Amino acid sequence: MPLLVVSAASALFFASCQPRIYLPDRTNAPMLREAGEVKLTGSLKLQNNVNAPKSVISPSLDFAASPLKGLGVMASYRSTHRYADENDFYAYEYQDSIRYRGSRFEFGLGYYLPFGGRGLFDVYGGVGFGSIERDNLEGYFGNYDAKYYQIFLQPSIGFYANDVFEMCGGVKINLHKYSSFKTDTVKFRYEFTDPQVDIEEPTFLMMGPFMNLNVGYKYAKFNMQFGANFSASKPYIRMESPLYLSMGVTFAIAPRFWQEKDKGSRRRD
């Protein structure tokens, strides 16, 4: 695991200086196990900011709850705020001080199934919508803002050890569509895909394999997620690096926590 983290961090540091229009981000991986369980995860992406005038972060919030046995609901918020030097990519002058900002909301429903005493399978589907903008802080060409929406399906499988360790892996299958793309440089509409097409025309098929880990006490655990987002069919979205790494904290409450306390009290009596 340490080697995996170091490798991911190195890849992100050296290859993520030049984002485009689709920036890789984490998946909400609930790992719910019983009715009445609620989880909230706050996390930050590891990111390399080039020519940044100040320190910036890209926080995420993931919420999940189970109102009924086998049924999960979830909601997510993603924020993007980062800087980049893109002189070596775009054929325009003064592209060395670029700011990206954006946000996304997602909502989903799913089914979960514990099995074998330690295993857990779940599958969630839902919708999301967001926006992304690029600002050239040098005051030259290359600015844009765009809105997008997406439909996703994400199966995963994992295992747990009591309430101190949880780990799952899965893939997020995502249909991603841009709209309301506005730019001061008309050619920019065709700079993000291979082969080149107007960014508003295709519906992009995106794949997002991920590995999610929670370690700690039952009420609060350290969270780490490593994964990738990439185009799976033509036309492809051009991306410098598909990798991401995020770290944070997962808070949880569940009926089994109180049941364990009651059992302990009865044993002492």
Side-chain angles (χ1 to χ4, degrees), residues 40 42 138 172-173 202 215 249:
L40 179 66
E138 297 284 354
K172 186 174 184 179
I173 305 164
V215 180
V249 180

Side-chain angles (χ1 to χ4, degrees), residues 39-108:
K39 288 185 175 181
L40 179 66
T41 300
S43 61
L44 296 175
K45 287 187 298 183
L46 181 65
Q47 60 183 22
N48 181 27
N49 289 292
V50 179
N51 293 345
K54 59 181 180 180
S55 177
V56 294
I57 59 175
S58 295
S60 296
L61 282 175
D62 292 323
F63 169 83
S66 176
L68 299 171
K69 181 179 179 180
L71 175 65
V73 298
M74 66 180 189
S76 303
Y77 168 74
R78 302 284 180 266
S79 174
T80 294
H81 192 186
R82 65 178 306 171
Y83 293 85
D85 178 348
E86 298 188 338
N87 262 341
D88 62 343
F89 178 73
Y90 293 110
Y92 306 99
E93 294 182 322
Y94 308 109
Q95 302 294 314
D96 59 350
S97 187
I98 304 301
R99 179 177 62 191
Y100 284 89
R101 292 182 295 181
S103 62
R104 182 172 79 243
F105 294 89
E106 290 183 351
F107 304 93

Side-chain angles (χ1 to χ4, degrees), residues 210-221:
F210 65 90
M211 185 70 69
N212 192 73
L213 173 70
N214 287 320
V215 180
Y217 187 55
K218 53 190 175 183
Y219 297 105
K221 298 179 180 67

Side-chain angles (χ1 to χ4, degrees), residues 107-141:
F107 304 93
L109 292 172
Y111 170 75
Y112 64 86
L113 177 66
F115 65 90
R118 288 288 183 266
L120 180 66
F121 167 80
D122 61 28
V123 57
Y124 287 83
V127 298
F129 57 91
S131 63
I132 182 72
E133 66 179 51
R134 181 186 195 268
D135 296 322
N136 188 333
L137 300 183
E138 297 284 354
Y140 288 85
F141 294 111

Side-chain angles (χ1 to χ4, degrees), residues 200-245:
E200 289 191 40
E201 288 184 4
T203 297
F204 298 97
L205 174 62
M206 309 296 295
M207 303 293 285
F210 65 90
M211 185 70 69
N212 192 73
L213 173 70
N214 287 320
V215 180
Y217 187 55
K218 53 190 175 183
Y219 297 105
K221 298 179 180 67
F222 167 74
N223 172 265
M224 183 178 70
Q225 186 176 121
F226 170 64
N229 299 158
F230 57 88
S231 290
S233 65
K234 289 185 178 181
Y236 302 108
I237 294 182
R238 300 176 68 177
M239 301 172 67
E240 181 68 15
S241 171
L243 302 176
Y244 70 85
L245 177 66

